[in-house]
Amino acid sequence: MLRPRSFRLMLPSVLLSSAARPALLACAMAGALTACTVGPDYERPETPQPTAYRETVTGDAAKDAALRTEIAADWWKRFNSPELDSLIARVASNNFDVRAAMARIRQAEGTVVEQRSALFPTVSASAGRTRSETGGGTTTVSNGNFISRNNISSNYSAKLSASYELDFWGKNRSAFESAKASLNYSRYDKQTVLMTAIASVATDYFQALAYKDRLTLARQSLKDAEDVLRGIQARARAGTATAVDVANQVNVVEAERAAIPQYEQSLAQQIDALAILVGLLPEQLKIEGTTLNGLAEPEVAPNLPSTLLVRRPDVASAEAQLIAANATLRNVIAQQYPSLSLTGSYGYQNESLGDLFNPASKLWSLGTSLTQTVFDAGNLQAQSDVQRAKVEELAADYQKAVVTAFADVEDALAGVKYTRDIRAAQEKATASADEALRGTTGQFQRGTADMVSVLTAQRTLFSAQDTLVQSRLNYLTSIVTLYRVLGGGWSVEQTEAQAETAPVKAGG
């Protein structure tokens, strides 16, 4: 059966005892040699980009253009909630997903150092002593008996060795470039995780306040229903209301009472979810805010679509993965070419420790080896084909990430625009329902309206108020979503600048 084989062509090595030390010098000079690279250069895939967004925030293109400013990195402060600010301040250091992403960055930094080390010679030092015994030594006679004594000797050595692979085809350089691109991916991914966590904290905090608002409404509605019930019971005792009227209002009261525990449960669960996001036990988190009405509602509009790709860390992550895969493809292709290595050593060897470092004890060696795979049953070619397909896959993923980014912005713009319109309409509907209830209640007290009208007006107002809270929540959440899909104030330049101020260090 045929087996994959490779041959190694060894050029003559020299082992001399001499005062010269060209071995280490040759290995050191090898690092200065310029290598060529094989394989395709990276090219960003062509992806169509819109010249403008279809949706607008205000409906007025001129006003939207005036709103276009750079999103601040602390955009959440525009909601004017100190409690929200304090919660988000905990995310960068306490959020579990962010901490895991930071650990992945440190792993990637270690890989960069590991791959970079292949571009330099490897130098090692050794020192040792060997003790040996051989036969055929002296023979003496003692008391008529022959005694043979073997030769025992010691050998001391101290040596410095170096090896270096000449990166003619850019194999090691490509592996290094792939590692650097993977590090960038980890950095961008961490920003994606952080941005998502911050947006989740904001939306969960708003949701908790919304449950508090709905709980307040439910308790007030219960109080109003109980007041009406007492009035109906008084009228029933006076003979102006029936037992059916009383029973109908009791049904309303109990229905209102049953809604309260549901809101309390939802509020508790929302606070628990928020605690996990900021890295706390549920019992450690208390939400002091009581209503959505105290929050500011910032206006935000996107910059030009051409700037979005450098504002979205998920898009940058997708491209970094593609760059890393392309560099890996170059590395795989380079492995199909011959590999030339240099080895050298310089040191001392002597049977006497005292004479070890005498000039006569010096020795050095220089060796070269050329390795080329002759037959591997198509293994390297298969690796190349697999990696090419991987590059094509990640190119499609990158193009999808770009298109998705633009679609996200369009959806978020539509969300802000239409949830604001819905909230405005719901505010009018709630005001109208409140006015209707007051009028119906007055008519009932004057005896010109029946109980059914009062009950209907009560239910209509409570439903309108509850829907208004939800519409406010949806509007605030849509603003957070727009901030997030626009990149949350992040940029590629920002991350690159931070990386330059904190470079990867070996052994760090």
Side-chain angles (χ1 to χ4, degrees), residues 11-72:
L11 300 183
S13 298
V14 182
L15 181 61
L16 300 173
S17 293
S18 170
R21 55 177 76 180
L24 296 180
L25 180 60
C27 286
M29 292 177 60
L33 293 179
T34 301
C36 64
T37 56
V38 294
D41 293 331
Y42 172 73
E43 294 183 4
R44 176 179 291 175
E46 290 290 335
T47 306
Q49 300 180 24
T51 56
Y53 292 112
R54 181 185 68 245
E55 297 291 347
T56 59
V57 176
T58 65
D60 184 337
K63 185 176 180 181
D64 284 329
L67 285 173
R68 289 190 180 119
T69 57
E70 294 297 332
I71 297 176

Side-chain angles (χ1 to χ4, degrees), residues 91-421:
V91 172
S93 59
N94 285 32
N95 181 267
F96 300 111
D97 293 333
V98 174
R99 287 164 55 188
M102 293 176 66
R104 289 193 290 271
I105 290 177
R106 292 193 294 273
Q107 295 174 43
E109 288 175 340
T111 301
V112 169
V113 175
E114 178 185 356
Q115 295 299 335
R116 184 174 60 189
S117 66
L119 302 176
F120 299 92
T122 299
V123 181
S124 60
S126 63
R129 174 197 178 191
T130 59
R131 189 173 176 83
S132 60
E133 180 179 3
T134 59
T138 60
T139 302
T140 60
V141 179
S142 177
N143 298 327
N145 297 320
F146 288 92
I147 301 176
S148 176
R149 299 183 182 275
N150 293 338
N151 293 326
I152 299 177
S153 62
S154 297
N155 189 57
Y156 300 89
S157 63
K159 184 171 62 173
L160 194 64
S161 302
S163 62
Y164 181 72
E165 179 182 356
L166 299 180
D167 198 23
F168 279 126
W169 315 113
K171 179 180 66 174
N172 296 333
R173 173 65 59 179
S174 296
F176 177 50
E177 295 296 333
S178 178
K180 290 199 298 182
S182 295
L183 173 57
N184 285 336
Y185 164 77
S186 297
R187 288 170 174 160
Y188 301 149
D189 182 63
K190 179 254 184 180
Q191 292 298 327
T192 301
V193 172
L194 177 60
M195 183 176 64
T196 302
I198 289 174
S200 296
V201 168
T203 55
D204 280 11
Y205 178 71
F206 296 159
Q207 182 70 71
L209 296 186
Y211 280 128
K212 286 193 172 187
D213 279 337
R214 298 177 74 182
L215 188 57
T216 299
L217 287 174
R219 287 169 176 163
Q220 182 60 48
S221 182
L222 174 61
K223 180 179 179 298
D224 293 342
E226 289 175 335
D227 290 342
V228 172
L229 176 58
R230 283 190 290 270
I232 294 175
Q233 288 172 334
R235 295 188 63 180
R237 288 192 295 270
T240 57
T242 67
V244 174
D245 293 333
V246 173
N248 285 335
Q249 187 60 21
V250 168
N251 179 60
V252 172
V253 168
E254 296 307 319
E256 298 287 0
R257 197 188 311 279
I260 292 176
Q262 297 177 22
Y263 290 135
E264 290 175 330
Q265 178 185 10
S266 297
L267 175 59
Q269 292 174 340
Q270 195 65 46
I271 293 176
D272 293 346
L274 190 55
I276 294 174
L277 284 172
V278 297
L280 295 174
L281 291 172
E283 63 185 20
Q284 295 176 309
L285 181 62
K286 305 297 181 184
I287 298 299
E288 302 297 335
T290 58
T291 178
L292 289 174
N293 294 331
L295 299 174
E297 297 177 352
E299 289 187 332
V300 56
N303 281 317
L304 296 175
S306 59
T307 66
L308 182 63
L309 301 188
V310 295
R311 299 291 179 183
R312 288 273 297 235
D314 56 334
V315 173
S317 296
E319 184 173 21
Q321 282 185 299
L322 177 57
I323 293 173
N326 191 80
T328 299
L329 174 59
R330 294 161 68 96
N331 170 268
V332 171
I333 293 175
Q335 293 180 36
Q336 301 177 26
Y337 290 78
S339 174
L340 179 62
S341 299
L342 299 180
T343 58
S345 65
Y346 176 79
Y348 298 87
Q349 182 173 307
N350 198 292
E351 294 181 355
S352 171
L353 181 61
D355 296 330
L356 178 61
F357 295 104
N358 287 340
S361 301
K362 292 180 182 179
L363 60 85
W364 63 269
S365 68
L366 174 65
T368 60
S369 64
L370 180 66
T371 306
Q372 169 66 59
T373 299
V374 177
F375 176 72
D376 64 358
N379 179 52
L380 288 176
Q381 184 59 50
Q383 291 181 35
S384 175
D385 294 341
V386 169
Q387 192 59 33
R388 286 182 188 277
K390 183 66 174 179
V391 170
E392 293 176 5
E393 175 192 0
L394 292 176
D397 288 344
Y398 169 74
Q399 292 173 315
K400 179 181 178 181
V402 171
V403 173
T404 301
F406 290 119
D408 287 345
V409 175
E410 293 285 9
D411 290 346
L413 288 171
V416 170
K417 178 181 178 181
Y418 296 117
T419 56
R420 183 189 56 199
D421 293 345

